[in-house]
Amino acid sequence: MPLFEIETDAHIIITWAENEDDAREVVDDAYPEDELMRLTKRPRDSWVISKGALGLTDRTL
């Protein structure tokens, strides 16, 4: 089952789903008030959080 990274205006969600429609349903069920900003099918069965993106280091790449 593919792994999806879903960004809303308030959350970043990592979830397994059969397809993009099912991944969107995860957001609709869990956070119906959130606006979907980005939905990405991950190329592998893992995920990474960038410390730079979170502002925890000086590096952004």
Side-chain angles (χ1 to χ4, degrees):
M1 186 176 301
L3 187 64
F4 287 87
E5 178 182 336
I6 308 164
E7 182 179 358
T8 73
D9 56 336
H11 299 92
I12 296 174
I13 303 161
I14 309 299
T15 190
W16 281 275
E18 290 292 335
N19 53 51
E20 284 190 14
D21 290 336
D22 288 350
R24 289 175 194 275
E25 283 186 35
V26 169
V27 177
D28 291 340
D29 289 344
Y31 304 103
E33 69 284 353
D34 282 17
E35 179 182 338
L36 187 82
M37 298 174 64
R38 182 177 53 86
L39 188 143
T40 305
K41 182 177 174 183
R42 302 306 300 164
R44 297 181 185 86
D45 194 22
S46 62
W47 54 278
V48 175
I49 297 173
S50 168
K51 289 183 176 184
L54 296 174
L56 300 175
T57 67
D58 292 336
R59 283 181 36 189
T60 57
L61 297 176

